[in-house]
Amino acid sequence: MNVTVFGATGAIGQLIVDQLLRQGENVTAYARNAAKVPGRWDGSVNVVIGAITDVTAIDAAVAGADAVVSALGPSMDRNATGLPLVDGTRLIVASMKRHGIRRYVGNGTPSVLDQRDEVTMQTRLVGWMAQTFLPRAYREMIGMSRIITESGLDWTIVRFIAPKNGPATGIVRAGFFGKDKIGWGITRGDIAAFTTDQISSPQYSRAAPAVSN
């Protein structure tokens, strides 16, 4: 498959690209900063450099893809302003529709609730903390997710609470709050592996499963 990855040079994005390469997929990595592109990708990854609001660069990255994966996440810098990822997500969706691409897999947090969730202490706490301490990032996450869930695309949003460094362990709980036993932490390796698995899986089509170890 041809897979385009946004947020490709981030901590999880790099692992997603590496996992796709191991699976033999053709990968286009979208990045804002060429200096952050790992040297190990030379000759094996098509890299497109551009801002998240660069219409031309986004369209070039999306064209020809069978699926789009987004590892984009809001900045945790309290001095950050605006909602650039909301604008960027809107451009990605528009480009996918222009090129007839249906499959989108992204990352998110339990600040975004799935219709299958039941309200729990976990969801209350995560939502309260985000709104209280990182209100701009919270608005950006909500805005990005709303664009995706209302897009009409075949989407999946993989939600997690506390990512930590570590390889894929293969031990992953997945499902919905209040119905499945979802913990707190999960390795970035397991997030990447679960995210890439969703590209060809219909199990969580138009759903936002939460995952933990």
Side-chain angles (χ1 to χ4, degrees):
M1 295 179 65
N2 296 320
V3 183
T4 297
V5 180
F6 288 88
T9 57
I12 295 172
Q14 288 192 37
L15 297 177
I16 289 173
V17 172
D18 290 341
Q19 177 69 20
L20 290 168
L21 291 175
R22 286 193 293 270
Q23 294 173 192
E25 316 295 5
N26 299 314
V27 182
T28 294
Y30 193 91
R32 290 182 299 171
N33 187 346
K36 292 185 178 181
V37 177
R40 65 180 181 276
W41 293 353
D42 290 350
S44 58
V45 175
N46 175 37
V47 177
V48 177
I49 302 297
I52 196 56
T53 53
D54 187 328
V55 177
T56 302
I58 287 173
D59 206 59
V62 169
D66 297 303
V68 169
V69 175
S70 174
L72 294 168
S75 170
M76 298 296 108
D77 184 351
R78 297 191 183 190
N79 294 319
T81 59
L83 304 174
L85 297 189
V86 174
D87 297 331
T89 299
R90 190 175 289 113
L91 294 176
I92 291 169
V93 168
S95 184
M96 289 179 67
K97 290 183 175 180
R98 275 196 300 275
H99 293 284
I101 302 161
R102 300 286 308 160
R103 190 66 174 124
Y104 173 99
V105 181
N107 290 160
T109 75
S111 294
V112 178
L113 293 177
D114 185 278
Q115 62 182 353
R116 285 153 282 250
D117 288 328
E118 295 176 3
V119 177
T120 68
M121 286 301 296
Q122 274 180 303
T123 59
R124 286 195 184 100
L125 181 59
V126 171
W128 177 82
M129 290 183 67
Q131 292 181 68
T132 302
F133 299 107
L134 295 165
R136 190 212 62 84
Y138 173 81
R139 292 195 302 273
E140 193 160 47
M141 180 60 70
I142 294 295
M144 293 166 62
S145 299
R146 183 172 293 127
I147 290 168
I148 296 303
T149 58
E150 296 177 355
S151 67
L153 298 174
D154 178 13
W155 57 268
T156 299
I157 297 175
V158 179
R159 298 176 296 162
F160 46 86
I161 299 174
K164 56 188 177 183
N165 289 331
T169 66
I171 303 172
V172 176
R173 295 178 178 179
F176 304 97
F177 291 102
K179 296 181 179 178
D180 300 289
K181 293 182 178 180
I182 307 299
W184 293 85
I186 184 169
T187 69
R188 289 183 171 86
D190 278 320
I191 295 170
F194 188 88
T195 299
T196 56
D197 285 347
Q198 303 318 301
I199 295 172
S200 57
S201 172
Q203 181 176 5
Y204 292 112
S205 177
R206 299 198 176 186
V211 294
S212 72
N213 286 135

